[in-house]
Amino acid sequence: MTRTPGSVLAGLAALLLAALPVPSGLAQGAADSSLLAWVDAFGAATEGHLAAAGPGSVALTVAAGRGVDERKATQVVAPHFTARLRSGGRSVSRESGGITLTLTLSIEGDRVWAVGMLQGGALVAPVAIAQAWPVDRELETVLGARSVRAGQGRWTMDRLGTLPAGVLALALTDLDADGGDDLVVLSVEGVRTLAWNELEGRPVPLGGPFPLDPRPWPRVPLGWMAVDGGTVRLATTAGHRLTLDPRTGRTRPGSDAVPLAQSADPSRDGWVDAEWGGRTADVNVTEPLPGMPRAVRDLARWPGRDDTWLWVDAEGLLGGFGADGAAGFAASPVGDRILLDDLDGDGAPELITTGRSGPGEPDRVRILGVDPSLRSLPVVFDGPLGGGVMALAVGDLDFDGRRELLVVEQTDGDAVLWLVARRR
């Protein structure tokens, strides 16, 4: 369900609310501006009501609501709304006149909202006009000062945009041979690819969605995906077992094994085979190490080593087997997915986990320090989220040779894509 700015709309309950549908997915193309697209959509929703109001100048007032900086609303964003009204043939002023438009801007979850009240002229009653748009890095930067997240320290966490709901897994690989990684997204509707746009600092649609074979999904659909050379191996709890070429969408049957993604390591395969234990989150490791449970939900191997592993067991507890034997840290509840990758460029990996939250509950993403002995796991980053984390992936997106973490959060509306990176 799409969230609305309740504090703004409460006083407009008796008015006519003219709202355009919220676009789904990554709504704008590579060359478009999210801000201008949002302003244009609001202008289009306003034109008919302005025509009904009759001729005359419009007195425009722009105010900041929740999550929006007042100075940015009046000095940066307001001129764009003014220009859009003038492009429709209306003169605009700040002085009160026969027609007034009072506009409030706010950020609500994964949407920005422009909520305006138009009155005067030939209108028999005030008219409320609302237009939402998916939040991305551009809109978040233009509208408000990003709050520092608890435990952020030397890390940044930026919102990049939105994806269609139903994301199951995410993988990063270079699809266009430009030296930077692109996105491969597995969802209930199939597989789509997105290319990283360096100029805009966000991914833009590249290919797909490539549909999967129609199959009945279980109540809680799950998916796994791992890069295997130029292809990706994927499996779902609906019974899909495929190898897919993400450039063309062509598929061929895969094995019954579940691909568990591993940290980038050119000396080893990018996946570990495990067998299905049923239509649940649990899979069975084909050849578990001493001390490793056969049934796990996820598994990560230390890059370059075969004696150090971390896993999430069937009970959702984090465990491990290190260079000195069993892990020395106390088993703790985590989410179903973990990653082990070098995010700070020091040559040693960090452990990435999520919280143990239920469907629809707030989640969090944590980056933990770890060494091959697995003695302790100090928290170096803790980013709380309002929705649940559906997928994690690590890769080099911005061509700087350093790896970044991508997080897919499912909100009440679309899935939100976040970028977590070490500060320069």
Side-chain angles (χ1 to χ4, degrees):
M1 179 181 294
T2 302
R3 298 174 183 171
T4 59
S7 59
V8 177
L9 293 178
L12 304 177
L15 303 177
L16 171 63
L17 180 63
L20 292 185
V22 177
S24 62
L26 292 171
Q28 62 278 353
D32 294 338
S33 162
S34 301
L35 172 63
L36 296 183
W38 176 46
V39 170
D40 187 63
F42 182 85
T46 308
E47 288 172 350
H49 300 294
L50 280 174
S57 177
V58 176
L60 175 65
T61 302
V62 178
R66 180 173 6 203
V68 175
D69 181 87
E70 183 73 35
R71 183 188 62 82
K72 292 181 178 179
T74 57
Q75 298 182 19
V76 179
V77 182
H80 291 287
F81 282 96
T82 298
R84 177 61 178 81
L85 292 174
R86 286 175 175 163
S87 70
R90 288 283 174 167
S91 60
V92 181
S93 70
R94 295 183 179 180
E95 300 178 359
S96 60
I99 303 174
T100 62
L101 176 59
T102 303
L103 184 60
T104 301
L105 311 178
S106 64
I107 299 178
E108 305 287 338
D110 60 348
R111 294 288 187 271
V112 295
W113 284 84
V115 179
M117 185 169 68
L118 181 68
Q119 55 187 334
L123 294 173
V124 296
V127 176
I129 306 165
Q131 178 63 58
W133 203 261
V135 175
D136 61 7
R137 178 184 288 184
E138 177 191 355
L139 286 169
E140 194 171 41
T141 300
V142 168
L143 290 172
R146 188 177 66 245
S147 60
V148 177
R149 295 173 178 271
Q152 187 165 320
R154 298 180 179 179
W155 300 80
T156 61
M157 186 169 181
D158 295 315
R159 190 189 327 235
L160 297 186
T162 58
L163 297 167
V167 173
L168 302 178
L170 180 66
L172 297 179
T173 187
D174 187 2
L175 297 176
D176 49 15
D178 63 356
D181 286 329
D182 304 298
L183 285 71
V184 183
V185 182
L186 170 64
S187 71
V188 294
E189 66 177 357
V191 176
R192 67 177 68 230
T193 58
L194 302 102
W196 180 255
N197 186 291
E198 185 179 14
L199 180 63
E200 299 185 30
R202 64 180 177 89
V204 296
L206 181 62
F210 307 121
L212 304 178
D213 295 336
R215 294 173 182 266
W217 286 98
R219 183 178 297 274
V220 181
L222 298 170
W224 288 260
M225 187 165 53
V227 176
D228 184 10
T231 63
V232 292
R233 296 164 49 122
L234 66 88
T236 73
T237 48
H240 300 100
R241 311 286 189 270
L242 299 172
T243 296
L244 177 139
D245 184 339
R247 295 167 181 81
T248 64
R250 295 190 183 93
T251 61
R252 64 176 186 269
S255 69
D256 287 336
V258 179
L260 298 177
Q262 300 295 291
S263 173
D265 184 353
S267 67
R268 289 166 169 79
D269 292 329
W271 39 268
V272 172
D273 281 343
E275 299 171 349
W276 284 94
R279 290 159 66 90
T280 68
D282 300 334
V283 295
N284 297 323
V285 181
T286 305
E287 297 181 4
L289 294 176
M292 179 188 297
R294 179 172 173 80
V296 299
R297 296 185 180 176
D298 209 354
L299 178 66
R301 174 176 49 197
W302 192 279
R305 304 182 67 109
D306 291 322
D307 60 354
T308 304
W309 297 76
L310 287 154
W311 57 76
V312 182
D313 69 16
E315 303 300 320
L317 298 177
L318 180 68
F321 187 87
D324 299 330
F329 60 83
S332 57
V334 295
D336 290 341
R337 296 288 182 267
I338 59 173
L339 285 176
L340 197 60
D341 214 304
D342 183 9
L343 293 174
D344 58 10
D346 66 356
E350 286 75 43
L351 176 64
I352 303 148
T353 72
T354 61
R356 193 177 190 176
S357 62
E361 296 179 358
D363 207 342
R364 61 197 324 111
V365 57
R366 286 193 177 100
I367 300 175
L368 310 172
V370 63
D371 63 75
S373 67
L374 304 186
R375 291 190 182 92
S376 63
L377 299 172
V379 178
V380 298
F381 172 82
D382 187 352
L385 295 166
V389 176
M390 307 306 296
L392 301 168
V394 174
D396 178 15
L397 294 177
D398 52 8
F399 315 97
D400 64 353
R402 303 178 67 176
R403 297 173 69 76
E404 297 88 27
L405 169 65
L406 283 184
V407 179
V408 179
E409 172 203 11
Q410 181 60 55
T411 67
D412 290 343
D414 289 330
V416 178
L417 188 64
W418 294 90
L419 174 72
V420 181
R422 176 72 178 233
R423 292 182 186 274
R424 300 294 186 264

